[in-house]
């Protein structure tokens, strides 16, 4: 999904935003659009584009997502999840850039908001502010950029 090399170092904070609207999805890292190398040819999507923005996804999403699961890391992962917001709209890049250095807030479009402060009881789902969630696998609560975060592995 990303078309450039990343040169991240241990302990650095990075902002990842993934949006989906209809059959188009975008991936932004630290508020930037990924671009392919010149003359390298197309990389992804039905139109085989060389960008990480507005990529047409092959096929359609079907079914009822009310019991969907969000899987991050799939076992051992070297990430610490500081903040997570899932919205019912694809946030525009300008908004993503303007908010990437602050902890996200809940708004009318927020479906899930997790500040990583204490685990599943602190996950806010839906506009009703209902709390609940479930963490599985190795993890621990650790200091992070905006308070605490969920480290997705244990030493």
């Amino acid at each position: 999904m990303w078309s450039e090399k990343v040169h991240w170092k241990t302990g650095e904070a990075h902002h990842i935003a993934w949006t989906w609207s209809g059959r188009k999805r975008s991936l932004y890292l630290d508020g930037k659009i990924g671009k392919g190398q010149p003359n390298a040819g197309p990389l992804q999507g039905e139109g085989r584009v060389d960008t990480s923005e507005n990529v047409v996804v092959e096929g359609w999403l079907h079914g009822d997502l009310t019991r969907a699961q969000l899987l991050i890391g799939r076992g051992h992962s070297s990430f610490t999840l500081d903040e997570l917001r899932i919205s019912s709209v694809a946030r525009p890049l300008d908004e993503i850039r303007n908010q990437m250095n602050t902890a996200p807030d809940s708004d009318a479009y927020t479906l899930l908001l997790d500040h990583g402060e204490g685990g599943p009881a602190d996950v806010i789902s839906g506009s009703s502010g209902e709390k609940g969630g479930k963490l599985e696998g190795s993890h621990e609560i650790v200091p992070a950029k905006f308070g605490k975060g969920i480290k997705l592995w244990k030493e």
Side-chain angles (χ1 to χ4, degrees):
M1 290 180 60
W2 188 254
S3 53
E4 297 180 27
K5 290 182 180 179
V6 293
H7 302 283
W8 293 353
K9 295 178 179 67
T10 301
E12 291 180 339
H14 293 278
H15 184 269
I16 302 169
W18 188 75
T19 66
W20 186 293
S21 181
R23 291 187 62 208
K24 291 185 179 179
R25 64 109 182 111
S26 299
L27 178 69
Y28 308 107
L29 300 183
D30 296 327
K32 296 178 184 166
I33 301 166
K35 297 286 184 188
Q37 298 297 320
N39 303 317
L43 299 171
Q44 56 191 334
E46 278 186 0
R48 302 292 180 230
V49 297
D50 64 349
T51 179
S52 67
E53 186 174 48
N54 292 323
V55 175
V56 176
V57 177
E58 298 173 13
W60 288 92
L61 187 62
H62 296 283
D64 181 353
L65 298 178
T66 57
R67 299 187 69 133
Q69 293 181 326
L70 175 64
L71 303 173
I72 301 173
R74 298 289 305 212
H76 179 80
S77 176
S78 298
F79 285 99
T80 297
L81 184 65
D82 189 359
E83 304 287 324
L84 173 68
R85 178 174 63 186
I86 298 176
S87 305
S88 62
V89 296
R91 307 276 178 168
L93 182 55
D94 286 344
E95 180 181 341
I96 290 168
R97 284 182 177 146
N98 289 336
Q99 296 179 353
M100 64 187 237
N101 291 312
T102 60
D105 288 326
S106 183
D107 63 16
Y109 303 109
T110 302
L111 299 175
L112 181 136
L113 178 62
D114 186 356
H115 293 294
E117 295 296 318
D122 292 329
V123 177
I124 301 170
S125 300
S127 58
S128 66
E130 169 185 333
K131 292 192 174 195
K134 183 165 105 176
L135 289 172
E136 294 179 348
S138 296
H139 66 275
E140 60 183 297
I141 306 302
V142 298
K145 183 176 179 177
F146 301 116
K148 294 183 180 178
I150 304 167
K151 186 170 91 170
L152 301 177
W153 82 97
K154 289 188 177 181
E155 302 288 337

